[in-house]
């Protein structure tokens, strides 16, 4: 299964680290390349309906770190368990950060899109919404969508949460109407802003 391949990838990563003996490191690196090809073949077979391959969302980072797999993150995103559309916000945001670290923007976008759908739901607290916006902003994907989500939830957020979410998007050079609306909301809280600790 993809989960078993993910566990193998995690073990090989230890062998292929720079601290290992040169010959062992070389063998580990070669094995990771080979394993990456196996994973891609399994994903392709699943896409064609030949296999019902699934990977636990918590284990997806091990596969994304394999050579070549990150470039097919959008396909891998269709084979997570639970599916991205059924996963809790915390797991989705963890997946966004994991994909960012693995240089897998396609998977990060898929996970971020699912997370933003939850941010729009009333059961997601303003604190959770702000954290989601910061996490997605840090990944550099779907910045305009994250800004739109922030604009919709800005009034309900605590001043510190709103300010840090705005800064996170601004650091990625995000602009536009939604971010300006969030900034305008923040500007109405002058007294609260003055109480915020210095950065």
């Amino acid at each position: 299964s993809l989960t078993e391949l993910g566990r193998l990838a995690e073990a090989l990563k230890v062998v292929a680290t720079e601290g290992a003996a040169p010959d062992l490191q070389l063998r580990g690196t070669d094995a990771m390349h080979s394993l990456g090809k196996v994973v891609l073949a399994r994903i392709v077979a699943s896409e064609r309906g030949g296999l019902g391959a699934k990977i636990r969302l918590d284990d997806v980072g091990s596969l994304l770190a394999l050579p070549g797999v990150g470039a097919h993150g959008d396909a891998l995103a269709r084979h997570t368990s639970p599916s991205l559309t059924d996963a809790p916000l915390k797991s989705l945001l963890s997946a966004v950060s994991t994909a960012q670290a693995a240089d897998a923007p396609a998977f990060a976008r898929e996970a971020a899109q699912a997370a933003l759908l939850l941010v729009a739901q009333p059961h997601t607290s303003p604190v959770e919404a702000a954290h989601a916006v910061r996490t997605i902003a840090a990944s550099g994907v779907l910045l305009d969508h994250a800004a739109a989500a922030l604009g919709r939830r800005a009034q309900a957020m605590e001043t510190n949460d709103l300010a840090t979410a705005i800064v996170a998007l601004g650091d990625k050079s995000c602009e536009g109407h939604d971010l300006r609306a969030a900034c305008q909301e923040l500007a109405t809280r002058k007294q609260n802003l003055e109480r915020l600790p210095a950065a």
Side-chain angles (χ1 to χ4, degrees):
S1 69
L2 286 177
T3 295
E4 290 169 343
L5 292 174
R7 290 173 185 155
L8 181 55
E10 197 65 30
L12 286 174
K13 188 166 65 174
V14 176
V15 176
T17 55
E18 293 183 3
D23 59 334
L24 192 60
Q25 183 181 342
L26 181 60
R27 290 178 185 176
T29 301
D30 288 343
M32 288 185 73
H33 277 86
S34 297
L35 187 58
K37 292 177 181 178
V38 172
V39 169
L40 288 175
R42 187 68 61 87
I43 292 172
V44 168
S46 246
E47 292 282 282
R48 291 174 178 170
L51 292 169
K54 291 291 183 182
I55 176 70
R56 288 181 63 242
L57 189 55
D58 292 341
D59 298 333
V60 77
S62 300
L63 295 186
L64 288 173
L66 289 170
V69 175
H72 299 272
D74 53 340
L76 185 61
R78 292 190 285 273
H79 298 283
T80 61
S81 179
S83 67
L84 294 184
T85 54
D86 294 329
L89 182 59
K90 183 178 179 180
S91 295
L92 290 170
L93 295 178
S94 177
V96 170
S97 297
T98 296
Q100 175 201 7
D103 193 22
F107 189 95
R109 278 193 296 273
E110 296 292 333
Q113 188 171 32
L116 288 170
L117 289 175
L118 291 180
V119 168
Q121 300 300 315
H123 62 75
T124 299
S125 72
V127 172
E128 292 172 322
H131 174 60
V133 170
R134 290 192 297 268
T135 301
I136 293 168
S139 75
V141 301
L142 301 184
L143 296 178
D144 290 342
H145 293 75
L150 180 62
R152 287 191 294 269
R153 301 298 303 269
Q155 287 186 342
M157 289 182 183
E158 295 290 336
T159 301
N160 184 60
D161 284 332
L162 177 57
T164 54
I166 289 172
V167 168
L169 287 166
D171 283 347
K172 295 294 183 178
S173 300
C174 181
E175 300 177 349
H177 170 77
D178 294 305
L179 189 58
R180 285 195 297 273
C183 289
Q184 289 169 357
E185 169 61 29
L186 186 63
T188 66
R189 309 180 185 187
K190 185 176 180 181
Q191 289 185 336
N192 289 339
L193 280 172
E194 291 171 349
R195 297 193 193 103
L196 292 180

